[in-house]
Amino acid sequence: MDLLQSYGDKSDEEDGEESRRKGGEEKGKGGGETEVEAAPASPDSDSSSSPPRLLPAKSAAPRVDDTALALAAAGTARFLHRPIDPAQHAVAFNPTYDQLWAPIHGPAHPFAKDGVPQGMRNHKLGFVEDASIEPFLFDEQYNTFHKYGYAADPSGIDYVGDLDTLQRNQALSVYNIPQQEQKRRRLQMKATPAEEDPAAAAGPDVENPASEEWILKNRNSPWAGKKEGVQGELTEEQKKYAEEHAAKKAEKERGGEGRGDRVEQVDKSTFHGKEERDYQGRSWIAPPKDAKAANDHCYIPKRWVHTWSGHTKGVAAIRFFPKHGRHLLSAGMDSKVKIWDVFNTGKCMRTYMGHSKAVRDICFSNDGTKFLSAGYDKNIKYWDTETGKVISTFSTGKIPYVVKLNPDEDKQNILLAGMSDKKIVQWDMNSGEITQEYDQHLGAVNTITFVDNNRRFVTSSDDKSLRVWEFGIPVVIKYISEPHMHSMPSIALHPNSNWLAAQSLDNQILIYGTKERFQLNKKKRFAGHIVAGYACQVNFSPDGRFVMSGDGEGKCWFWDWKSCKVFRTLKCHEGVCIGCVWHPLEQSKVATCGWDGMIKYWD
């Protein structure tokens, strides 16, 4: 209290001094004003009677730094918006939807090369998320990548691939044509001859309808053809057509003069489709760019979905177009070869007429642009699939029973043919000369099958034997003949190239290995069908799980490769079912042919 009292007296003295100082200043300013003395304080006015004064708050506690508290509160607010760590087992607050579904963030995993922990992996390259993409959008990006080299990321944010081409094409896809390109095409289609050839339209008589200039300018006018012009020089196509017409006329005249004489067969072909090239200029045999197998497993067909009928006699052999199977080639006993559309219309696309007798065998080249046909007229013809022209013809004067091209890409000009005179003849189709003859069999040669990466080939014959040859060397390296063996008119190679399936005429299919010893696999034998007397073809499914064969009663038989049990039997034809092939891409579809002249498609 003494301290407070002395503090109050000291404050009063300071206030008195301040009031006197102010009074002196006012006196100096007033000049002539009367000086008034201040009355002395009364003795009874004590400092204790003055009103109480408010003092500033003071605390004896030490000063506390609240900076850490403010930072902790800010950190808590930031933590509430941070994604949840997937490794923590308990969450001490109510997380929001965004926190629960936010992507995983954080530093790379210390023990993983790409930063993805082992538990998060579902692919050998890391973590892959499922994305729902429309089939059209997927096909668009798939085809764009194969054509231009770039495609959009499924996230829609970025692009992958050749970014330079992407920038140059302005992110163009195969299904989007820019406005400038559309305009250029429209102008090109509407371009008149006058625009193409301004010199022709700049003549003095361009406005005269009787002049050449007016006719050139208005070629589409209904009056453009009224004026007879001078016949110009024939084009190459017109010359070719005139030569063909003259040859046909001369052939008719020869036939009228002596009908008893045999007329030589003229090679010709007829196209039955709408147009040989589409609006983009692609050929009718061009393969679809997006053709790919749906899965790896093949399934046994159950129902009959389509019939191709056009041959007037039986069908001897059928072959699918290599790799994609868009077309089917058939050899008929009516001396014609036909190619059929499989995917779209299901109709005959082209007929090849060059043989005068039944066609025995056909064989595609690796790319399908050309094929071979062997007929009982003793001729082997090499055809262009697209145009139907005969490129070359080969003959030794004997009937060819089987024809085969060397499967190697660099030996597509080598032709092998098994003849009725027990020989296998090898031609170089570029020069047209016979380069080798393999002459060891004792009967007509029925099959030729390449094995061991096309370095060797196996042949079967009516002499009931199998012989293995080194390609290009006319010496047998393996001779297989047993007393119990029968003739084998058809042989197929397993997709893994380790086994051969041989159709034996004692109503069974035998399996031989393609390794060095070419041994008979006694554990595998497929039986149940009746093929005695018929050269029914045997074949495999593309995945090698099933063996199939036709039989003499018009049925198609399917066996399981592992168990050798009959899986299914389909009644396909009236008469003999001579051939059956599995579609290379459509895993459950099979084509069969028979002596009733029908080709049937099964799914």
Side-chain angles (χ1 to χ4, degrees):
M1 292 299 292
D2 296 338
L3 288 172
L4 293 175
Q5 184 68 33
S6 63
Y7 182 80
D9 295 343
K10 187 176 180 181
S11 300
D12 292 342
E13 290 175 4
E14 289 177 356
D15 292 343
E17 289 177 3
E18 185 177 356
S19 60
R20 282 195 296 275
R21 188 171 61 251
K22 288 183 179 178
E25 290 176 357
E26 291 175 356
K27 183 179 178 181
K29 289 179 183 177
E33 291 183 1
T34 307
E35 184 176 336
V36 180
E37 276 190 356
S42 60
D44 58 334
S45 62
D46 196 6
S47 62
S48 59
S49 63
S50 62
R53 301 175 184 274
L54 296 175
L55 299 176
K58 293 182 180 291
S59 174
R63 181 174 178 79
V64 177
D65 186 7
D66 56 356
T67 306
L69 182 63
L71 290 175
T76 305
R78 187 169 64 253
F79 177 76
L80 291 175
H81 299 287
R82 193 173 61 192
I84 297 175
D85 183 7
Q88 75 182 87
H89 299 284
V91 181
F93 60 93
N94 289 334
T96 63
Y97 175 85
D98 295 334
Q99 285 176 283
L100 287 174
W101 293 98
I104 298 173
H105 295 283
H109 197 273
F111 304 114
K113 293 181 181 179
D114 51 1
V116 182
Q118 189 66 30
M120 296 297 296
R121 290 174 175 273
N122 61 1
H123 190 268
K124 62 181 180 181
L125 299 179
F127 179 73
V128 179
E129 293 184 357
D130 291 335
S132 178
I133 303 175
E134 289 292 328
F136 173 79
L137 298 177
F138 179 82
D139 290 342
E140 179 183 19
Q141 298 305 324
Y142 178 86
N143 294 324
T144 302
F145 185 82
H146 281 276
K147 183 173 183 180
Y148 297 121
Y150 59 82
D153 195 336
S155 63
I157 301 172
D158 201 0
Y159 283 84
V160 294
D162 190 353
L163 300 182
D164 295 336
T165 309
L166 170 75
Q167 192 170 11
R168 188 165 60 252
N169 291 351
Q170 299 178 352
L172 180 70
S173 76
V174 291
Y175 296 154
N176 294 334
I177 301 176
Q179 295 291 334
Q180 297 85 351
E181 182 67 15
Q182 293 182 16
K183 186 176 180 181
R184 187 187 67 78
R185 292 186 182 182
R186 283 198 299 269
L187 292 175
Q188 188 174 2
M189 291 174 62
K190 294 180 180 179
T192 61
E195 293 172 350
E196 295 172 1
D197 189 8
D205 297 333
V206 70
E207 298 299 331
N208 183 9
S211 63
E212 293 286 344
E213 290 86 351
W214 187 90
I215 291 175
L216 286 174
K217 182 181 177 182
N218 302 280
R219 188 174 296 175
N220 295 329
S221 170
W223 293 275
K226 298 298 181 183
K227 186 177 186 303
E228 293 184 2
V230 180
Q231 176 66 39
E233 187 178 353
L234 293 176
T235 62
E236 292 295 327
E237 188 176 355
Q238 290 171 334
K239 289 179 181 177
K240 183 179 176 183
Y241 180 80
E243 290 173 1
E244 290 178 357
H245 182 71
K248 287 180 182 178
K249 193 173 180 182
E251 179 190 345
K252 287 182 180 178
E253 290 176 357
R254 286 200 308 270
E257 291 172 359
R259 295 187 181 274
D261 298 339
R262 178 178 168 272
V263 180
E264 188 178 358
Q265 179 70 25
V266 177
D267 300 329
K268 58 183 179 179
S269 175
T270 305
F271 182 71
H272 306 289
K274 289 184 179 179
E275 51 189 0
E276 296 194 23
R277 296 192 174 272
D278 62 3
Y279 68 100
Q280 287 188 339
R282 294 176 300 193
S283 169
W284 63 274
I285 65 165
K289 293 185 177 178
D290 56 348
K292 49 186 178 294
N295 53 44
D296 296 332
H297 279 293
C298 293
Y299 305 95
I300 302 294
K302 297 180 180 179
R303 58 194 179 93
W304 168 26
V305 293
H306 188 70
T307 300
W308 291 288
S309 58
H311 288 286
T312 57
K313 295 183 181 179
V315 181
I318 51 176
R319 302 283 185 271
F320 272 113
F321 202 98
K323 296 179 183 177
H324 59 80
R326 189 178 182 181
H327 297 96
L328 178 71
L329 191 70
S330 64
M333 298 181 186
D334 55 358
S335 75
K336 295 177 182 176
V337 178
K338 291 178 178 285
I339 190 166
W340 312 82
D341 182 73
V342 176
F343 283 173
N344 299 323
T345 61
K347 297 180 180 178
C348 181
M349 297 299 293
R350 187 179 279 279
T351 301
Y352 307 89
M353 295 167 282
H355 292 281
S356 59
K357 292 185 179 180
V359 183
R360 163 80 183 199
D361 193 25
I362 46 177
C363 177
F364 268 116
S365 62
N366 283 359
D367 57 2
T369 57
K370 299 173 181 63
F371 70 91
L372 289 165
S373 65
Y376 284 97
D377 59 355
K378 305 176 182 177
N379 289 327
I380 301 170
K381 293 185 181 288
Y382 191 44
W383 300 82
D384 186 304
T385 311
E386 180 184 356
T387 62
K389 296 177 182 175
V390 174
I391 301 172
S392 51
T393 304
F394 309 94
S395 178
T396 62
K398 302 296 179 181
I399 299 174
Y401 281 168
V402 57
V403 286
K404 190 75 75 174
L405 283 173
N406 190 308
D408 283 339
E409 291 292 339
D410 58 341
K411 296 187 180 69
Q412 285 286 286
N413 61 321
I414 304 299
L415 158 65
L416 289 175
M419 313 300 289
S420 61
D421 63 347
K422 316 169 191 177
K423 293 181 181 178
I424 300 146
V425 184
Q426 178 177 317
W427 274 279
D428 182 352
M429 293 192 293
N430 292 341
S431 62
E433 297 177 355
I434 296 176
T435 57
Q436 192 62 268
E437 282 189 356
Y438 306 84
D439 186 9
Q440 292 284 324
H441 275 293
L442 305 176
V445 181
N446 292 323
T447 65
I448 300 173
T449 308
F450 280 89
V451 295
D452 194 15
N453 294 325
N454 308 322
R455 292 195 296 265
R456 300 171 179 171
F457 62 92
V458 180
T459 60
S460 66
S461 167
D462 286 346
D463 60 5
K464 304 180 184 180
S465 69
L466 292 178
R467 297 173 197 253
V468 186
W469 315 74
E470 287 279 354
F471 179 76
I473 303 173
V475 178
V476 173
I477 62 172
K478 181 72 175 179
Y479 171 61
I480 305 170
S481 181
E482 298 290 342
H484 60 77
M485 287 177 60
H486 287 68
S487 179
M488 299 177 183
S490 175
I491 292 181
L493 181 67
H494 192 278
N496 65 11
S497 303
N498 292 332
W499 306 99
L500 287 173
Q503 181 83 270
S504 179
L505 287 186
D506 58 348
N507 300 328
Q508 61 179 346
I509 298 172
L510 303 177
I511 305 299
Y512 290 88
T514 60
K515 300 302 181 184
E516 293 294 327
R517 299 182 63 187
F518 289 89
Q519 269 192 323
L520 173 67
N521 188 340
K522 296 181 180 179
K523 294 182 179 180
K524 286 194 180 294
R525 174 178 165 275
F526 304 91
H529 56 319
I530 305 298
V531 292
Y534 302 103
C536 297
Q537 295 159 21
V538 63
N539 221 319
F540 284 97
S541 62
D543 61 354
R545 293 172 57 227
F546 301 108
V547 182
M548 65 175 175
S549 167
D551 77 346
E553 299 174 351
K555 296 178 183 176
C556 186
W557 292 67
F558 296 89
W559 292 270
D560 183 65
W561 169 253
K562 287 188 177 179
S563 65
C564 300
K565 293 181 180 179
V566 176
F567 205 96
R568 184 169 296 152
T569 305
L570 298 175
K571 176 63 176 175
C572 299
H573 297 274
E574 297 295 328
V576 182
C577 176
I578 199 71
C580 52
V581 286
W582 212 294
H583 196 283
L585 291 184
E586 303 274 355
Q587 285 82 5
S588 64
K589 294 190 176 177
V590 170
T592 62
C593 65
W595 284 2
D596 56 359
M598 301 291 180
I599 304 167
K600 295 186 178 181
Y601 201 34
W602 303 82
D603 187 3

